[in-house]
Amino acid sequence: MAQLLPDSFQSLQVSREDIAAMSLMLFMERVYMGIVIVLVKLFWPKPEKRYNWKPIEDDVEFGSSNFPHVLIQIPMFNEREVYKVSIGAACGLAWPADRLVIQVLDDSTDPVIKQMVELECQRWASKGLNITYQIRENRVGYKAGALKEGLKRSYVKHCEFVAIFDADFQPQPDYLRRAIPYLIQNPDLALVQGRWRFVNANECLLTRMQEMSLDYHFTVEQEVGSATHAFFGFNGTAGVWRIAAINEAGGWKDRTTVEDMDLAVRSSLRGWKFVYLGDLQVKSELPSTFNAFRFQQHRWSCGPANLFRKMVMEIVRNKKVRFWKKVYVIYSFFFVRKIIAHMVTFIFYCVVLPLTILVPEVKVPIWGAVYIPSVITILNSVGTPRSIHLLFYWILFENVMSLHRTKATLIGLFEAGRVNEWIVTEKLGDSFKNKKEDAAKNKNNIKAIKKPRFKFTDRMHKLELFFAVFLFVCGCYDFVHGKNNYFIYLWLQTITFTICGFGYIGTIVPS
């Protein structure tokens, strides 16, 4: 293949320059974040000092009157494996029972699961807890719709704050006692966000990869946003909101699949502040099946891009927020992190770089192919030092996932077919592990010998396999004709795409 068409050559040349510019933007963003997080850790006062945190004192004479009324919302959808975990953790919070309302918002479609959840609520109610099992006639608005309906109930009108926990989240007993004082002492504070900790991070390689990505998000991105602009994206769970702030911002909206980020941006535009507490940790579960992870990443990538499309001009016109905060939200928070980061990774490493091998006239400078990506990768790994030995495979896996994130980002930007697709992330809890342990104990039992059947076609992903073939061909061409030894990377990336394409990553659950 000596030459391609001149138009193709020019297009590739332009693409290379565009991607180089975007890579430089991402590089500068990561360096900026790295510098700021170091300054925050060394010189910034702790949140307790910045926000004048004081514990709520128990008053023997007046009882629990010092404690504000708090609503706990637990949205659920067919959570057979984990519903007891979140309900039990919420009922175990160290807060006066007469000042706590627990609301289980069950949108389940399985009548058996609905009955199980309702019975669990009744069990805790019989112990004196103020817990209500709440259902709707339909799932309009999904999670946002459930949370919105929950706040409309008459029995929660006296509550000042609302803490939200997804079905797999397990707050520690002192969670409210540590979070609520920030809101009491600071009337301009709308949100206190805790950090996620993952109970199943060591379950498989897939969960380790996710831990590396999310630890950077919490350790750096959330911390920097909180310290510099008192703004970051609400994570949808493990946070406490001031209900007045929710109402002032217009309440929950279901116009995108990131109702949490939508509310956070709207609240921030009205002058409300947020604080992130890295030491306020809440246990949760990572999706351990590849399909569940892919659906989650589609929602997390499509939603922000769609929200950016809907809100960018509203942010520009806003007069309550200072100029530099607008720049941070539009450029850093949305454009670079939610759009550029996904597209650069995929287009450069999986499209442009392989194609330059077929068109030797188009050269990628060493700083663009090696130096900048290396620095970005090292900065991304600071959140999870225990997984530093997995860094190289993490890069290859992130390149695969960038394919889906880029596709989802474009769907969000152009509001294409799957823009409002909402598939609840599957949680396995301890059920799958328990089944394997039971099978091991009963290995002599004839009934246990029968192996579960797997539908191989259900695990195949054609898009990953297509890119595996494409990269393999480019690698072979480079091996024969190339001079930069890119074939080493291309063949390793081919293997990763192939593994993901055949679904041999993460926990494989029998059909």
Side-chain angles (χ1 to χ4, degrees), residues 274-291:
F274 310 153
V275 61
Y276 166 75
L277 305 177
D279 59 349
L280 184 63
Q281 301 182 359
V282 182
K283 294 178 182 178
S284 63
E285 180 181 328
L286 292 163
S288 58
T289 65
F290 189 48
N291 276 336

Side-chain angles (χ1 to χ4, degrees), residues 199-392:
V199 296
N200 65 331
N202 294 322
E203 182 175 334
C204 58
L205 191 57
L206 175 62
T207 53
R208 289 291 291 272
M209 300 295 103
Q210 294 175 68
E211 182 190 38
M212 293 178 71
S213 299
L214 288 171
D215 277 354
Y216 176 82
H217 168 69
F218 285 108
T219 305
V220 179
E221 292 178 345
Q222 298 290 77
E223 191 82 61
V224 169
S226 175
T228 57
H229 298 283
F231 169 79
F232 48 84
F234 173 45
N235 296 122
T237 178
V240 185
W241 276 92
R242 188 185 301 275
I243 294 178
I246 295 177
N247 294 333
E248 185 183 327
W252 293 101
K253 293 187 178 181
D254 59 358
R255 55 181 175 173
T256 71
T257 57
V258 284
E259 74 295 322
D260 43 14
M261 186 181 295
D262 189 343
L263 177 61
V265 175
R266 285 185 283 115
S267 299
S268 182
L269 292 181
R270 284 160 179 78
W272 290 99
K273 296 180 179 179
F274 310 153
V275 61
Y276 166 75
L277 305 177
D279 59 349
L280 184 63
Q281 301 182 359
V282 182
K283 294 178 182 178
S284 63
E285 180 181 328
L286 292 163
S288 58
T289 65
F290 189 48
N291 276 336
F293 182 58
R294 287 170 86 242
F295 285 130
Q296 182 199 67
Q297 293 303 297
H298 173 85
R299 191 171 76 245
W300 286 6
S301 302
C302 178
N306 191 231
L307 183 63
F308 178 65
R309 171 194 171 110
K310 285 176 162 54
M311 291 202 69
V312 61
M313 293 312 298
E314 183 180 344
I315 297 170
V316 171
R317 296 192 202 101
N318 185 276
K319 296 181 179 179
K320 287 188 177 181
V321 178
R322 65 185 188 275
F323 173 76
W324 288 113
K325 186 170 183 177
K326 290 183 185 180
V327 172
Y328 173 79
V329 174
I330 293 174
Y331 176 78
S332 179
F333 180 77
F334 272 117
F335 188 62
V336 176
R337 285 189 238 160
K338 310 302 181 186
I339 297 174
I340 294 297
H342 305 323
M343 299 179 72
V344 164
T345 304
F346 169 66
I347 296 175
F348 181 72
Y349 284 105
C350 301
V351 179
V352 172
L353 187 62
L355 286 178
T356 59
I357 293 167
L358 307 180
V359 187
E361 291 83 0
V362 179
K363 298 184 182 299
V364 177
I366 191 70
W367 61 265
V370 179
Y371 298 151
I372 284 183
S374 297
V375 174
I376 292 173
T377 301
I378 292 170
L379 291 174
N380 276 347
S381 68
V382 298
T384 318
R386 79 183 187 98
S387 297
I388 194 73
H389 61 290
L390 299 173
L391 191 58
F392 186 72

Side-chain angles (χ1 to χ4, degrees), residues 92-140:
L93 289 168
W95 200 257
D98 62 328
R99 296 280 167 162
L100 189 67
V101 180
I102 301 172
Q103 193 179 59
V104 178
L105 305 167
D106 191 10
D107 275 356
S108 298
T109 54
D110 187 325
V112 175
I113 297 177
K114 291 177 78 169
Q115 185 179 25
M116 293 165 63
V117 176
E118 185 175 12
L119 288 173
E120 182 68 9
C121 293
Q122 291 174 358
R123 186 175 75 85
W124 282 103
S126 66
K127 297 181 179 181
L129 274 296
N130 186 1
I131 181 169
T132 302
Y133 175 73
Q134 197 74 56
I135 60 174
R136 299 189 291 163
E137 293 181 358
N138 54 58
R139 292 187 64 217
V140 173

